[in-house]
Amino acid sequence: METMNLKQVSQVLKISEATARNRLSLGLPMPPSFKVGRQRLFITLDFYKWIHDQSNTPKDGASIVMGKNLIKGNQDGLI
């Protein structure tokens, strides 16, 4: 089982480590993770599955907030 640390995840997401930590503490959308001691780890396969799932626009008019971007879906699933 390969894992990524918070620094690696934040680099892929193109956000700072501080932003990633804030998002986790505020309960905002972030990939599934777990802690080992004081280190937060992300299972690599779960991380990329989460990325893939986030790329699918909601079809019910729901919104996804990621970083400073607000992505709104519509009935057709188009932005």
Side-chain angles (χ1 to χ4, degrees), residues 6-76:
L6 191 63
K7 181 177 182 177
Q8 294 166 319
V9 166
S10 62
Q11 288 172 341
V12 174
L13 295 176
K14 298 187 184 335
I15 59 175
S16 70
E17 284 184 69
T19 298
R21 266 190 231 94
N22 286 339
R23 294 182 64 79
L24 287 164
S25 67
L26 293 173
L28 296 173
M30 281 291 287
S33 63
F34 61 96
K35 288 184 85 172
V36 175
R38 294 180 52 157
Q39 187 173 18
R40 172 123 357 228
L41 297 174
F42 302 79
I43 297 173
T44 304
L45 290 175
D46 291 347
F47 171 73
Y48 285 106
K49 181 184 181 314
W50 182 85
I51 292 287
H52 179 269
D53 293 346
Q54 297 304 303
S55 67
N56 294 327
T57 305
K59 297 181 191 239
D60 61 357
S63 299
I64 298 172
V65 178
M66 188 63 195
K68 295 181 181 177
N69 300 322
L70 177 65
I71 303 170
K72 291 186 177 180
N74 63 21
Q75 299 297 333
D76 300 322

